[in-house]
Amino acid sequence: MNSKDIEVFLMVSQTRSLTQAARRLNTTPMTVSRRLASLEDDLGVRLMHRTTRAIALTVEGEEFLPYAKSLAETEQSARNLFSPHQQGATGQLRITAPSGFGRRTIIPLLPALMEANPELRIEFQLSDDVTDLVGLGYDVAIRIAPLRDSRLVAHRLANNPRMLCASPDYLQRFGTPQTLNDLHHHNCLRLSGVVQWSFIIDGHISSLSVEGRFSGSNVEGVRTLCVAGSGIAQLSEWDIREELASGELIAIELQDAQPQMLGVWALFPTTRQLPARVTVFLHALKQAMEKTDKLPVTAPRL
């Protein structure tokens, strides 16, 4: 297979546009189309559905994508062996992460990561939706929700229990719930579409329907209202670590239920050896999380 053909395939799978791919590769749409056709001839399969309006990977294209990335990365690594000016990780690192965790934990570490790796380019998507990691060409996805069964490879970065929390002012005015039933008498701040909160009861996951006057599309909105004293929220520990440490929020422990344990996960599209750009990012992320994990949680749990 021609390495240029593979480069074109990867760029089109990322941009979903022959014109955009041609612009980024400094060539013409006609050349891009010919190289795609050449690669499909070599493989004997159709890799992309191409119409005048849209481009989408075929099933064979999705299966070939991680191998194409690996081939391109192997070629680049071989070239780097003989480059006297090469320093650090290279290429484009594509990351997706939940908005709250991404803004607080990932974005602050990116400037130093790029400075230490001058040839590294980063594309970062903040999204609370489930992203098609393979189809959209992401190198790594960070997830804090329960994982679904899939072909993706998962690596656990940290524990992340769900926690009930409220501001000291709210608890002083309305009291601290002691049992699950007590939550029915409080204003519960929910994420949009989440009408039930999950707990562990007698070793099993159990859900409780909750009601409240506010629901928000992202963690940051719910957390902001919770800090303002508008109600009780159920968020993950990594969403509220700073507020627990500062005393702006207090963790609430119930007598008849325990928090559901989640995790902070890194997901990859393939079991093959991770490229250097991914490993240096994960190393930086783990270091940042270890520093955050050492924050003293001075606020008492009620």
Side-chain angles (χ1 to χ4, degrees), residues 11-12 15 17-29 32:
M11 186 59 70
V12 175
T15 62
S17 166
L18 297 181
T19 302
Q20 290 292 331
R23 184 177 295 116
R24 295 192 184 187
L25 294 172
N26 194 28
T27 186
T28 66
V32 168

Short mmCIF file of all heavy atoms in Angstrom, two decimals, residues 11-12 15 17-29 32:
data_model
loop_
_atom_site.label_atom_id
_atom_site.label_comp_id
_atom_site.label_asym_id
_atom_site.label_seq_id
_atom_site.Cartn_x
_atom_site.Cartn_y
_atom_site.Cartn_z
N MET A 11 -6.99 11.44 6.41
CA MET A 11 -7.45 12.82 6.43
C MET A 11 -8.92 12.92 6.03
O MET A 11 -9.70 13.69 6.63
CB MET A 11 -6.59 13.67 5.49
CG MET A 11 -6.91 15.16 5.57
SD MET A 11 -6.70 15.85 7.23
CE MET A 11 -4.90 15.78 7.37
N VAL A 12 -9.35 12.14 5.04
CA VAL A 12 -10.75 12.17 4.63
C VAL A 12 -11.64 11.59 5.73
O VAL A 12 -12.74 12.10 5.99
CB VAL A 12 -10.96 11.41 3.31
CG1 VAL A 12 -12.44 11.34 2.95
CG2 VAL A 12 -10.19 12.09 2.18
N THR A 15 -11.97 14.53 8.21
CA THR A 15 -12.70 15.72 7.78
C THR A 15 -14.06 15.40 7.18
O THR A 15 -14.95 16.27 7.14
CB THR A 15 -11.88 16.49 6.73
OG1 THR A 15 -11.69 15.65 5.58
CG2 THR A 15 -10.53 16.91 7.30
N SER A 17 -14.68 15.12 4.16
CA SER A 17 -14.82 16.00 3.01
C SER A 17 -13.58 15.89 2.13
O SER A 17 -12.45 16.04 2.61
CB SER A 17 -15.00 17.45 3.46
OG SER A 17 -14.83 18.36 2.39
N LEU A 18 -13.79 15.63 0.82
CA LEU A 18 -12.66 15.58 -0.10
C LEU A 18 -12.01 16.95 -0.23
O LEU A 18 -10.78 17.07 -0.29
CB LEU A 18 -13.12 15.10 -1.48
CG LEU A 18 -13.70 13.67 -1.57
CD1 LEU A 18 -14.07 13.37 -3.02
CD2 LEU A 18 -12.70 12.64 -1.06
N THR A 19 -12.84 17.98 -0.24
CA THR A 19 -12.31 19.34 -0.40
C THR A 19 -11.48 19.75 0.81
O THR A 19 -10.37 20.31 0.67
CB THR A 19 -13.46 20.34 -0.60
OG1 THR A 19 -14.22 19.95 -1.75
CG2 THR A 19 -12.93 21.75 -0.79
N GLN A 20 -12.02 19.50 2.02
CA GLN A 20 -11.28 19.85 3.23
C GLN A 20 -9.99 19.05 3.34
O GLN A 20 -8.94 19.57 3.73
CB GLN A 20 -12.15 19.61 4.47
CG GLN A 20 -13.31 20.58 4.62
CD GLN A 20 -12.82 21.99 4.91
OE1 GLN A 20 -11.76 22.19 5.50
NE2 GLN A 20 -13.59 22.98 4.47
N ALA A 21 -10.05 17.76 3.00
CA ALA A 21 -8.85 16.93 3.05
C ALA A 21 -7.80 17.45 2.07
O ALA A 21 -6.60 17.52 2.39
CB ALA A 21 -9.21 15.48 2.75
N ALA A 22 -8.24 17.81 0.87
CA ALA A 22 -7.31 18.33 -0.13
C ALA A 22 -6.67 19.62 0.35
O ALA A 22 -5.46 19.84 0.16
CB ALA A 22 -8.05 18.56 -1.44
N ARG A 23 -7.46 20.49 0.98
CA ARG A 23 -6.92 21.76 1.48
C ARG A 23 -5.86 21.51 2.55
O ARG A 23 -4.81 22.15 2.55
CB ARG A 23 -8.05 22.62 2.02
CG ARG A 23 -7.61 24.01 2.47
CD ARG A 23 -8.78 24.86 2.93
NE ARG A 23 -9.68 25.15 1.82
CZ ARG A 23 -10.94 24.74 1.75
NH1 ARG A 23 -11.43 24.01 2.73
NH2 ARG A 23 -11.70 25.05 0.71
N ARG A 24 -6.14 20.61 3.48
CA ARG A 24 -5.17 20.34 4.55
C ARG A 24 -3.91 19.66 4.03
O ARG A 24 -2.83 19.83 4.60
CB ARG A 24 -5.82 19.48 5.64
CG ARG A 24 -6.96 20.18 6.37
CD ARG A 24 -7.35 19.41 7.61
NE ARG A 24 -8.50 20.01 8.28
CZ ARG A 24 -8.96 19.61 9.45
NH1 ARG A 24 -8.36 18.61 10.09
NH2 ARG A 24 -10.02 20.18 9.98
N LEU A 25 -4.05 18.87 2.96
CA LEU A 25 -2.90 18.15 2.42
C LEU A 25 -2.21 18.94 1.30
O LEU A 25 -1.26 18.44 0.68
CB LEU A 25 -3.34 16.78 1.90
CG LEU A 25 -3.84 15.79 2.96
CD1 LEU A 25 -4.42 14.55 2.29
CD2 LEU A 25 -2.72 15.41 3.92
N ASN A 26 -2.74 20.13 1.02
CA ASN A 26 -2.16 20.99 0.00
C ASN A 26 -2.14 20.31 -1.36
O ASN A 26 -1.11 20.28 -2.07
CB ASN A 26 -0.74 21.43 0.39
CG ASN A 26 -0.24 22.60 -0.46
OD1 ASN A 26 -1.04 23.41 -0.94
ND2 ASN A 26 1.06 22.68 -0.63
N THR A 27 -3.30 19.74 -1.72
CA THR A 27 -3.42 19.09 -3.02
C THR A 27 -4.82 19.39 -3.56
O THR A 27 -5.49 20.30 -3.08
CB THR A 27 -3.17 17.57 -2.91
OG1 THR A 27 -3.16 17.01 -4.22
CG2 THR A 27 -4.19 16.90 -2.03
N THR A 28 -5.27 18.63 -4.55
CA THR A 28 -6.57 18.89 -5.17
C THR A 28 -7.57 17.80 -4.80
O THR A 28 -7.17 16.65 -4.52
CB THR A 28 -6.44 18.94 -6.70
OG1 THR A 28 -6.06 17.64 -7.17
CG2 THR A 28 -5.40 19.97 -7.11
N PRO A 29 -8.87 18.11 -4.81
CA PRO A 29 -9.87 17.08 -4.55
C PRO A 29 -9.77 15.91 -5.52
O PRO A 29 -10.03 14.76 -5.15
CB PRO A 29 -11.21 17.84 -4.70
CG PRO A 29 -10.87 19.25 -4.37
CD PRO A 29 -9.49 19.46 -4.91
N VAL A 32 -7.08 13.62 -4.30
CA VAL A 32 -7.57 12.91 -3.12
C VAL A 32 -8.48 11.76 -3.54
O VAL A 32 -8.36 10.63 -3.04
CB VAL A 32 -8.32 13.88 -2.18
CG1 VAL A 32 -9.09 13.12 -1.12
CG2 VAL A 32 -7.34 14.84 -1.53
#
